[in-house]
Structures are given as C-alpha cells and as structure tokens.
Amino acid sequence: MSHRRGALIVLEGVDRAGKTTQCKKLVQALRKSGRPVEMLRFPDRTTKIGQLISAYLEKNYNLEDHAVHLLFSANRWELEPLLRQKLEQGVSLVVDRYAFSGVAFTSAKPGFSLEWCMNPDVGLPKPDLVLYLQLSPEVAAQRGEFGAERYETSDFQRTVLQRYQHFKKDPSLNWQVIDAAKSIEDVHTEIKTHSEMAIEAVQYQPIAEL
Ligand code: DGP
Ligand code: NA
Ligand code: NA
C-alpha cells in the first residue's frame, strides 16, 4: 500500500469502565491534532439487526442465546464494508466494543466455549490496538447502580470480567490493559499516547483479519 491507512482502535471492558466517555475524548483529541478519525459503537442499534438487539437488551424481546450471539456478530459484519472503506481512505476508527465483547458476554453464559463464540467474527478487520479498560467489580459498583438492561447485574459482570482475562494471554491481539480506576484525564492521556503510536505504526501495513 502506497497511501496511508487509518488505524482500527477498539475500547473494551465491563459496563461502567468509562469506554464511551473515553472514546469521545479520544476522537476529539485526535481530531484536534489533525488526524482524520471517526467513532463507531457496537452494537450499532440504528440498523434493522441493531433494533432487534436493542429490544433484546431492553428486555422487550427474548431471543435464544446462540441466536442473539449471531445477531451481535451480524451487526458487526453489516458494518464491515464501511469499516474497511474508512480505514483504506486513511480514516482511523475509534470503536466502542467489538468482537471481544461478543466473546466475553456470550461465554459468560453457561454452555458456551470461547472458540464457538469467536467463530462468527473470524475474518473481520483485526484491531491494531485494543484498549482494555480494566475495572474491579468493587470500583464499578462505587460508580453507582447498574442500569436496567439485560446483563447489567454484578454477578454477570463478574463472570464477563473473568472471560475478558483470556485475551491478555494472546500477544498477537495488540491488547493494552489500562487502569480504568484512574481519573478520566489520566486514562485519556494514556490511551491517547497508545493510539497515536498505533496510528503511526500501522499506516503502511495491510489491514489484518481476526
Ligand atoms: P452498550 O455498550 O451500553 O451499548 O451495551 C451493550 C450491551 O451488550 C453490553 O451489556 C454488552 C453487550 N454486548 C456487546 N456486544 C455483545 C456481543 O457481541 N454479544 C453479547 N452477548 N453481548 C454483547
Ligand atoms: Na450497557
Ligand atoms: Na458505554
């Protein structure tokens, strides 16, 4: 590739870790320094599939666990052409959750292996950097009550936290653990540094696949 591509930067972590706040601050900071960047989030609740997922999360609609897992993955795949297009155009993407949420949340349910959970997302663009906002269940609880959506209970979140630990072991995933108990500004500074380094490092590399 002779022209520069954008970097795929993903923020992951349990609910209340501050992912959405940090995604927005990161996009603002990167824009300020003149870098083309856009924010995305998964699930993207605006599509037809996303509306089904949203109804499921709001407990207005029940879906079988395997079926909803495949819908979350389909929601990522329906945005895949856009992701690839943006990256190739040189736009970096800051993404609030990705396939790792799929694996961590579904495998937190009984009877789901990590392998089965990962399979539907195999072939998606691979993140150049995953910023894992690590937060203990105790500190998460101090940040206030959980919302009313499905999965938002401390027991389930504890299991999700355990499932996320699996990714730390794989060096090829470009997984960076960030201490999300620090102040918003300290976390921001840290993830901005990692992101700027990733954007520089990958600009002439091909887009990899999960
Ligand atoms: P939010 O990030 O606040 O829009 O919440 C989305 C919820 O859905 C959150 O509890 C994490 C969960 N989630 C995200 N992606 C997946 C996925 O691929 N599979 C499953 N089972 N849950 C997911
Ligand atoms: Na949520
Ligand atoms: Na969020």
Side-chain angles (χ1 to χ4, degrees), residues 15 41-43 45 57 69 72 76 97 101-102 105-106 109 149-151:
D15 291 327
R41 70 180 309 159
F42 289 113
R45 302 189 192 211
L57 289 170
H69 182 77
F72 274 105
R76 289 183 279 275
R97 299 188 183 281
S101 279
F105 279 77
T106 298
K109 299 175 180 182
E149 288 205 329
R150 211 181 286 261
Y151 303 148

